[in-house]
Amino acid sequence: MAYPQGSMSLLRARFAPALAAAALAVSACRGRDAPSAVQILTSPAGPGAGESNLTVGGDGKVYLSWLEPAADSQVAFRFSVFEGDAWSAPRDIRVARDFFVNWADFPSLSVRADGRMAAHWLQRFGPTSYAYDVRVAQSADTGRTWGEAYAPHVDRSRTEKGFVTLWPEGDGFGAVWLDGRNADKAKPNPRQEMMLYSSPAVGVARATEVPLDARTCDCCQTTVALTANGPIVAYRDRTADEIRDIFVVRRVGGKWTDPVPVHDDGWRIDGCPVNGPMLAAAGNRVAIAWFTSAADTSRVNVAFSSDAGATFGPPTQMDEGNPAGRVAVALLPDGSALVSWVERAEGSAASVLVRRVREKEGAGPASTVTASTSARASGFPRMVVAGDHAYFSWTAPGAPSEVRVARASLAGLP
């Protein structure tokens, strides 16, 4: 079943030839074996699915969301929850033709401890391809029904807004996103640059949005973690001379701090690398993982903070010498972190790898989650930790594509 014209076809050629699948199989044979701790799960997603995301709700459960083709040339935004040893039957959040679908900028869920849920997606409007808004809807009955969708931003210009992260906020949810309103051609002196905004996305009334950074990288994911002192946001900044390093802002005492770099990578690049950071936090301890190619050397780094992200220690390199990035990170109860990323092999072949890192002892051996590809068709693998397991999701390219899922015992990951 094909996606509607002007959505899936805009930014992703998902149907990889059969030769690519064969190359992946060869790559898997040549590379490290997947550890016995990794268990492939039956996926709840249907044929043609992609753009998967994972989150751990305040109820401790793992939620998987994704997009897949639906009847009448529509796209369905669906989710499932891992219960017992299997995924629940999928539920629809929204089925429509006006989704803006992007291999790197995908929908998400956030779930409060009381079970209330918020979902975000990108929605096209107007005659141009790159005019789309953020939309958020909430559910008070575990996703059976969803309320009226609303925009967390006030601006309604026909420009791009996306790369959203949601989190529980007050009696609702907060949001952070990249905002392209400066590119509005109806305004004087339009500028082709993105900004970082945040808003408490509570209810359907217009929110009070707050600018956090006036110039950011165009298309790298944002990420948020909740510390004992409040939320911390990480993203890829953009200076006037095109240095695009990872920065953070924190909300302390109700006010957002000025942006500061996590580390002085000094990566100068005249274009967006489409590779955002990821955060994890527990109390005042924070871990951040990111990709950089400063000095023409690609690396996946992780750094730790013990003061809720006010300062970070020196980075530890996690990759094996040829990373494509697309990172995820989770903090473990013993204070270590689990990091996943895409590592390139021959041609476009790649693997999704995961390894544990301890701040003082460094990184342990890497384990393979799955063979993959570094092409856009594979999307961004996701990882979360709940209980004594890590959970993974990724897109397997093909005709049709598939969203695949797995979990791994933390005890089995060195």
Side-chain angles (χ1 to χ4, degrees), residues 352-370:
V352 180
L353 303 185
V354 61
R355 74 194 322 161
R356 188 191 302 252
V357 57
R358 295 172 173 84
E359 186 172 15
K360 295 182 179 180
E361 292 84 355
S367 300
T368 300
V369 176
T370 182

Side-chain angles (χ1 to χ4, degrees), residues 176-192:
V176 65
W177 67 92
L178 298 187
D179 196 301
R181 68 185 66 181
N182 275 346
D184 186 2
K185 295 180 180 179
K187 298 177 181 178
N189 303 316
R191 302 190 302 276
Q192 295 297 324

Side-chain angles (χ1 to χ4, degrees), residues 151 215 220:
R215 197 168 193 260
C220 289

Side-chain angles (χ1 to χ4, degrees), residues 18-104:
L19 182 60
L24 293 181
V26 170
S27 171
C29 292
R30 291 178 180 172
R32 65 191 63 73
D33 293 331
S36 58
V38 174
Q39 172 193 5
I40 301 299
L41 303 171
T42 300
S43 175
E51 289 68 51
S52 69
N53 215 336
L54 289 169
T55 190
V56 179
D59 54 8
K61 296 180 180 179
V62 178
Y63 292 78
L64 172 72
S65 62
W66 68 93
L67 297 174
E68 68 178 59
D72 299 325
S73 299
Q74 299 183 101
V75 174
F77 178 18
R78 292 176 171 153
F79 81 96
S80 175
V81 58
F82 196 76
E83 297 177 322
D85 289 317
W87 295 98
S88 65
R91 288 180 175 168
D92 288 341
I93 298 171
R94 184 174 187 263
V95 181
R97 294 186 180 90
D98 59 357
F99 283 103
F100 183 84
V101 183
N102 184 316
W103 73 285

Side-chain angles (χ1 to χ4, degrees), residues 311-358:
T311 60
F312 284 89
T316 298
Q317 187 171 347
M318 301 298 294
D319 61 87
E320 298 203 320
N322 194 19
R326 307 183 197 179
V327 302
V329 65
L331 274 175
L332 304 182
D334 65 359
S336 65
L338 201 63
V339 179
S340 70
W341 73 97
V342 175
E343 184 84 17
R344 296 186 183 93
E346 297 179 7
S348 64
S351 295
V352 180
L353 303 185
V354 61
R355 74 194 322 161
R356 188 191 302 252
V357 57
R358 295 172 173 84

Side-chain angles (χ1 to χ4, degrees), residues 272-284:
C272 181
V274 195
N275 242 312
M278 289 294 286
L279 282 166
N284 283 323

Side-chain angles (χ1 to χ4, degrees), residues 2 13 15 29 40 43 58 68 71 77 110 114 131 136 157 188 190 206 218 247 250 282 293 339 365 367 395 403 405:
F15 293 160
C29 292
I40 301 299
S43 175
E68 68 178 59
F77 178 18
S110 181
D114 61 7
V136 178
S157 61
R206 286 191 170 188
D218 307 71
F247 275 55
R250 301 174 299 120
S293 197
V339 179
S367 300
T395 298
V403 166
V405 284

